[in-house]
Amino acid sequence: MNGLSVMRAADGLSALRVVEEYHPDLVVLDLMLPQIDGWTVLRELESRPSTRGIPVVVVTASDTRLGLPHARAVIQKPADPDYFVQVVARHLSSATT
């Protein structure tokens, strides 16, 4: 994707393992995941010193009016691909500077 390396995880538990092992510059997270949901993944990432600073962009069809305080951005599905790339690029560049 636009010269970036992308890693995938099939469920929330795998996502936590991938982030812990590889320490990506940015996490794109859906809230509706098997095993453990995205809300739990987000809280876990924020609670761990080793992953706390990694920016998270949530992409979801879920109602997020209750807020996602640890997410840098929330993109509602269906997401416009150009907007998605803009948001990811903005938060990726802020994470690496």
Side-chain angles (χ1 to χ4, degrees):
M1 179 176 127
N2 292 332
L4 302 174
S5 295
V6 176
M7 301 178 81
R8 297 177 63 189
D11 56 64
L13 196 54
S14 297
L16 288 172
R17 280 190 233 132
V18 167
V19 173
E20 189 68 46
E21 183 175 346
Y22 294 99
H23 297 285
D25 294 325
L26 179 86
V27 172
V28 175
L29 179 68
D30 195 342
L31 296 178
M32 303 305 292
L33 298 171
Q35 292 196 22
I36 59 173
D37 62 37
W39 284 279
T40 303
V41 171
L42 195 55
R43 283 192 302 274
E44 278 293 315
L45 292 175
E46 184 61 24
S47 72
R48 298 176 181 184
S50 61
T51 58
R52 181 176 297 134
I54 299 171
V56 177
V57 173
V58 171
V59 180
T60 186
S62 298
D63 182 1
T64 59
R65 286 181 285 182
L66 295 177
L68 295 161
H70 304 301
R72 296 276 178 97
V74 177
I75 300 172
Q76 288 296 135
K77 289 180 183 178
D80 173 68
D82 293 330
Y83 178 69
F84 173 82
V85 170
Q86 288 174 355
V87 171
V88 167
R90 180 173 63 241
H91 291 285
L92 188 57
S93 68
S94 69
T96 59
T97 56

